[in-house]
């Protein structure tokens, strides 16, 4: 895990021994100087220009295709909840999109493992394993976790696969052919744990066990080593202006906005060329530079190309998917995705990604999660304890992209008990219980009791001002939720649903249907209307919760008798009877009783008592 980068305003120093990348003064050009690439780069003139380029029209959210990606995960250690969070965000976005635009061919979603590089090479050596053994073992753990957590990816890539090697080497060949690579001498600090170069200002000294001191990364505390070698260099410096044009022309390219601003600020500063290979004698665990086995391709270049590999690159099929790509990433890898990757893409003649959605990190009891602190939260234990839907709901409801979030067990229990067990489960129970709804149907809505025009008075009118407020809130909820998804604020979407659930409980409480009688000709139409409205609200909640809690939503919708073909967002027409249209559910039998929607995780659970004691 890499440390968070300081946002915004991080300065790359011009002076000092090493830059994050390369300084001209430490580069001695060797071999052929490499053709200038400026002429071709200048062809890029902003987002509108590239959208009509050879890759085809840009496909916005409403278009036919969308491609979501998670970062690919390092296999040096087992997955933790931060990794699962990255994958869940992508999964929820992707599932929400599938509800809007159905059809298996419309949406792709990739995840995978990042298996090359010094970090993995060293981790395997430390574990006494061959790198392939370590990769197979940990990659399988990620795959099992994602399967268990309901991550609905359509591809899982491992960078050690042959298809990926072909893609990376092809991509490299393109950069070389376009004159964007040259050979130079690099010297500077390298942090294997972060797989990146660090400027002098980001390095400090820490006492070592031998009594002396050793250089470490200021942010992460991980050891760094001085590297001096001849490498291939990418002409990153030439892309500063094209990158600025891209970001200024597309203010939503990086979301949330503070991250967009931070990247623009980084681009105000020097953007030195980037070393993109290592000596194979130093780094053998990677993809060799085509035609030069003495060099291994830099792991970040290797890793980033995974996004192309999974859509078939270099075969032409990738062209219909690439322009629709949305990357979901943690803030620590923003620079790699928002500067290096778009520059590499532009260099290879492609457009930058459509969207980069950035999230912050999970800490544990106020501290960064780390193996050495022994506070890494195992996501498999959490899925077992809180159920898959419960833990998905917790992470997505509590995780705020703009800020770090703190994890502790009591918080999970409190949230799930109050929002899923009591509020949502209780509401379903109240409207479907045999005692209150003996016919087990979706009752009839009475327009005389609840006329569409607010403020009417008459003997049969029972609806009050707050009831109209509820109808209005739930009617606008799907749009609101969609906007929150578009802005990568899934927690706000869930907050909005939760607030409507509370309002609906208030509605039921206000009209106390348990005090009304089906036998009374005065009560019965209103009793049916109260239940009808509440069930309609529940149908909306169930539909909107599908991307986050798929099984729980399925249970809820099945109990309401909503069939599989009636669960898309296109079909979600709330309370049509109120607006004078027929309702397909009215009078329909409810689905079979399936027990509690979400059983309370009450404090008596053995593991929780144990967690309190320790
Ligand atoms: N292998 C690179 C990514 C290459 S993508 C071309 C990498 N891997 S990682 O395993 O270190 O991180 C993968 C993702 O997990 C990143 O998005 C990172 O931000 C995320 N997280 C790692 N720790 C995290 C938390 N504590 N909290 C939330 N997400 C965190 O970087």
């Amino acid at each position: 895990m890499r440390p968070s980068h300081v946002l915004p305003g991080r300065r790359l120093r011009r002076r000092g021994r090493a830059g994050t990348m390369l300084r001209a003064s430490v580069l001695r050009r060797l071999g052929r100087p490499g053709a200038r690439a400026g002429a071709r780069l200048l062809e890029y003139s902003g987002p509108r220009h590239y959208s009509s380029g050879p890759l085809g029209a840009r496909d916005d959210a409403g278009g036919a295709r969308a491609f979501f990606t998670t970062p690919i995960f390092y296999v040096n250690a087992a997955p933790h909840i931060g990794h699962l969070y990255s994958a869940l965000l992508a999964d929820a976005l992707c599932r929400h999109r599938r509800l809007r635009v159905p059809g298996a061919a419309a949406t792709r979603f990739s995840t995978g493992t990042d298996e090359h590089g010094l970090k993995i090479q060293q981790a395997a050596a430390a574990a006494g394993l061959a790198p392939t053994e370590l990769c197979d073992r940990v990659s399988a753990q990620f795959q099992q976790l994602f399967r268990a957590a309901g991550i609905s990816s359509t591809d899982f890539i491992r960078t050690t696969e042959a298809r990926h090697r072909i893609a990376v080497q092809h991509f490299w060949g393109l950069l070389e052919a376009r004159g964007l690579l040259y050979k130079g001498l690099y010297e500077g600090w390298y942090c294997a744990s972060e797989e990146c170069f660090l400027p002098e200002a980001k390095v400090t000294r820490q006492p070592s066990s031998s009594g002396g001191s050793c250089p470490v990364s200021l942010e992460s505390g991980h050891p760094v080593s001085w590297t001096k070698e001849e490498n291939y260099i990418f002409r990153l410096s030439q892309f500063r202006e094209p990158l600025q044009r891209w970001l200024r022309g597309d203010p939503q390219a990086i979301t949330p906005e503070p991250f967009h601003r931070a990247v623009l600020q980084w681009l105000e500063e020097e953007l030195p060329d980037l070393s993109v290979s290592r000596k194979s004698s130093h780094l053998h665990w990677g993809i060799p530079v085509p035609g030069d086995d003495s060099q291994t391709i830099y792991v970040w270049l290797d890793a980033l190309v995974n996004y192309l590999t999974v859509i078939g690159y270099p075969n032409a099929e990738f062209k219909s998917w690439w322009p629709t790509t949305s990357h979901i990433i943690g803030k620590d890898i923003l620079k790699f995705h928002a500067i290096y990757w778009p520059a590499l893409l532009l260099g290879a003649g492609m457009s930058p990604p459509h969207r980069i959605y950035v999230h912050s990190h999970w800490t544990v009891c106020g501290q960064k999660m780390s193996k050495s602190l022994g506070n890494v939260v195992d996501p498999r234990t959490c899925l077992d304890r809180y159920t898959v839907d419960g833990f998905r709901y917790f992470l997505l409801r509590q995780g705020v992209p703009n800020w770090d979030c703190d994890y502790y067990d009591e918080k999970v229990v409190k949230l799930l008990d109050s929002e899923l067990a009591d509020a949502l489960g209780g509401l379903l129970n109240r409207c479907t219980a045999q005692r209150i709804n003996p016919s087990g149907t979706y009752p009839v809505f009475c327009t005389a009791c609840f006329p569409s025009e607010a403020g009417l008075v008459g003997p049969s009118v029972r609806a009050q001002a707050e009831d109209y407020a509820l109808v209005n809130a739930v009617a606008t909820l799907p749009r609101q939720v969609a906007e929150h998804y578009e802005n990568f604020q899934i927690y706000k979407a869930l907050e909005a649903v939760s607030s409507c659930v509370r309002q609906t409980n208030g509605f039921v409480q206000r009209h106390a249907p348990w005090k009304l009688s089906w036998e009374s000709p005065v009560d019965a139409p209103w009793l049916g209307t109260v239940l009808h409205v509440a069930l309609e609200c529940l149908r909306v909640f169930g539909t909107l919760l599908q991307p986050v809690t798929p099984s729980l939503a399925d249970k809820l919708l099945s109990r309401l008798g909503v069939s599989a073909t009636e669960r898309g967002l296109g079909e979600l027409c709330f309370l049509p009877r109120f607006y004078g249209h027929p309702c397909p559910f009215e009078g329909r039998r409810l689905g079979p009783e399936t027990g509690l929607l979400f059983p309370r995780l009450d404090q008596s659970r053995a593991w929780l008592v144990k967690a309190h004691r320790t």
Side-chain angles (χ1 to χ4, degrees):
M1 193 175 60
R2 272 191 282 266
S4 328
H5 285 290
V6 180
L7 295 173
R10 185 167 160 265
R11 288 196 70 77
L12 296 178
R13 285 168 21 132
R14 203 182 179 92
R15 286 165 180 273
R17 273 210 294 176
T20 299
M21 293 147 278
L22 290 170
R23 284 190 303 109
S25 57
V26 295
L27 284 177
R28 182 162 46 84
R29 283 247 192 100
L30 298 169
R32 85 184 161 84
R36 301 298 299 174
R40 224 166 290 169
L41 293 178
L42 291 176
E43 284 167 20
Y44 171 72
S45 61
R48 272 170 200 85
H49 186 81
Y50 67 70
S51 69
S52 55
L55 294 181
R58 173 181 287 245
D59 191 345
D60 275 301
R65 288 184 162 182
F67 171 39
F68 295 91
T69 72
T70 74
I72 48 171
F73 301 89
Y74 284 132
V75 289
N76 62 307
H80 60 57
I81 58 166
H83 300 135
L84 179 59
Y85 179 57
S86 260
L88 280 177
L89 285 165
D91 186 55
L93 283 184
C94 189
R95 284 176 184 263
H96 185 261
R97 151 99 196 176
R98 288 187 192 125
L99 286 179
R100 279 192 304 147
V101 186
T107 307
R108 283 174 93 152
F109 169 23
S110 75
T111 186
T113 41
D114 190 353
E115 306 190 0
H116 287 137
L118 206 54
K119 184 183 176 98
I120 308 305
Q121 186 178 302
Q122 290 176 350
L129 296 170
T132 43
E133 260 178 290
L134 179 72
C135 293
D136 288 349
R137 193 179 288 180
V138 183
S139 181
Q141 290 177 4
F142 274 98
Q143 290 178 55
Q144 281 154 14
L145 170 68
F146 290 169
R147 214 173 301 127
I151 303 299
S152 61
S153 49
T154 53
D155 201 339
F156 188 100
I157 181 170
R158 300 183 58 186
T159 52
T160 43
E161 288 174 58
R163 61 171 173 158
H164 182 61
R165 184 192 177 109
I166 293 167
V168 172
Q169 292 190 330
H170 184 90
F171 191 83
W172 180 279
L174 221 57
L175 295 178
E176 191 168 46
R178 292 175 151 239
L180 292 167
L181 301 178
Y182 62 92
K183 262 187 153 184
L185 185 71
Y186 174 75
E187 70 179 314
W189 294 110
Y190 192 77
C191 178
S193 182
E194 296 162 35
E195 291 286 18
C196 71
F197 300 107
L198 289 176
E200 190 74 43
K202 294 273 173 195
V203 174
T204 185
R205 298 200 83 83
Q206 194 172 273
S208 67
S209 48
S210 59
S213 71
C214 61
V216 295
S217 159
L218 193 61
E219 283 176 10
S220 67
H222 290 128
V224 298
S225 57
W226 188 254
T227 308
K228 181 179 179 180
E229 60 182 43
E230 186 193 47
N231 296 148
Y232 286 91
I233 318 292
F234 171 62
R235 297 184 188 281
L236 182 64
S237 56
Q238 294 188 6
F239 291 85
R240 211 172 75 144
E241 282 176 19
L243 290 175
Q244 285 173 330
R245 271 204 298 282
W246 161 53
L247 291 175
R248 289 190 184 129
D250 188 357
Q252 285 180 314
I254 303 174
T255 304
E257 193 277 334
F259 295 107
H260 189 98
R261 211 176 334 127
V263 176
L264 272 172
Q265 199 152 336
W266 290 339
L267 288 171
E268 287 298 309
E269 311 187 358
E270 186 191 20
L271 188 63
D273 287 349
L274 174 68
S275 164
V276 286
S277 71
R278 296 288 162 276
K279 265 194 143 134
S280 311
S281 53
H282 180 55
L283 172 69
H284 59 79
W285 185 238
I287 299 177
V289 165
D292 183 355
D293 280 356
S294 73
Q295 294 275 324
T296 303
I297 295 176
Y298 177 36
V299 65
W300 265 105
L301 194 158
D302 168 341
L304 288 162
V305 173
N306 96 82
Y307 300 131
L308 295 176
T309 309
V310 290
I311 47 172
Y313 184 86
N315 297 328
E317 65 165 295
F318 89 93
K319 292 179 183 174
S320 58
W321 287 98
W322 178 250
T324 70
T325 306
S326 297
H327 295 313
I328 288 82
I329 60 160
K331 64 181 181 179
D332 54 326
I333 53 176
L334 179 58
K335 183 181 62 187
F336 300 92
H337 284 81
I339 295 184
Y340 298 176
W341 181 224
L344 288 163
L345 286 163
L346 288 172
M350 291 175 228
S351 57
H354 174 48
R355 289 275 174 274
I356 301 177
Y357 293 114
V358 191
H359 66 80
S360 297
H361 282 183
W362 282 91
T363 55
V364 175
C365 300
Q367 282 184 307
K368 197 178 147 170
M369 246 187 296
S370 88
K371 251 201 309 197
S372 50
L373 287 173
N375 64 352
V376 174
V377 181
D378 176 2
R380 285 157 306 188
T381 311
C382 296
L383 294 173
D384 286 348
R385 278 180 181 173
Y386 307 119
T387 75
V388 171
D389 287 271
F391 199 56
R392 286 176 63 108
Y393 185 82
F394 170 78
L395 287 180
L396 293 172
R397 170 81 169 92
Q398 288 287 308
V400 178
N402 299 50
W403 302 284
D404 285 353
C405 289
D406 201 33
Y407 177 88
Y408 51 95
D409 290 312
E410 289 84 345
K411 194 150 123 186
V412 190
V413 174
K414 222 169 140 187
L415 180 88
L416 299 185
D417 278 354
S418 87
E419 295 196 355
L420 294 187
D422 297 347
L424 188 64
L427 180 62
L428 177 67
N429 205 32
R430 279 168 139 185
C431 306
T432 53
Q434 158 80 13
R435 199 165 26 89
I436 225 160
N437 189 345
S439 64
T441 55
Y442 227 89
V444 171
F445 178 87
C446 168
T447 45
C449 297
F450 204 148
S452 56
E453 197 179 330
L456 289 183
V457 280
S460 56
V461 176
R462 307 286 285 269
Q464 304 166 5
E466 294 103 307
D467 305 334
Y468 287 92
L470 169 72
V471 169
N472 188 44
V474 180
T476 53
L477 186 63
R479 183 65 244 153
Q480 259 189 60
V481 164
E483 275 168 20
H484 292 316
Y485 270 86
E486 263 157 45
N487 297 327
F488 196 47
Q489 305 283 337
I490 298 175
Y491 77 101
K492 280 195 185 167
L494 293 175
E495 201 171 83
V497 172
S498 173
S499 155
C500 282
V501 172
R502 269 200 309 278
Q503 242 177 304
T504 313
N505 268 316
F507 166 79
V508 173
Q509 192 66 30
R510 203 159 46 245
H511 299 298
W514 49 88
K515 290 188 185 159
L516 303 172
S517 163
W518 286 109
E519 309 306 323
S520 152
V522 179
D523 284 355
W526 178 232
L527 172 53
T529 303
V530 170
L531 293 183
H532 182 102
V533 171
L535 290 173
E536 276 292 273
C537 293
L538 276 163
R539 186 170 64 82
V540 171
F541 306 148
T543 305
L544 295 176
L545 283 173
Q546 291 176 97
V548 173
T549 53
S551 304
L552 180 138
D554 173 47
K555 197 168 169 182
L556 170 53
L557 293 170
S558 300
R559 179 69 177 117
L560 299 183
V562 180
S563 71
T565 54
E566 295 167 324
R567 297 179 180 188
L569 288 169
E571 294 75 47
L572 185 57
C573 170
F574 169 61
L575 204 58
R577 295 281 285 106
F578 177 78
Y579 301 98
H581 304 295
C583 170
F585 301 98
E586 195 171 55
R588 198 192 274 188
R589 280 208 70 73
L590 295 178
E593 159 74 87
T594 44
L596 288 180
L597 184 66
F598 189 87
R600 277 183 70 86
L601 300 155
D602 75 79
Q603 308 277 319
S604 66
R605 291 209 172 181
W607 56 263
L608 193 64
V609 174
K610 200 167 140 230
H612 275 305
R613 283 204 203 106
T614 50

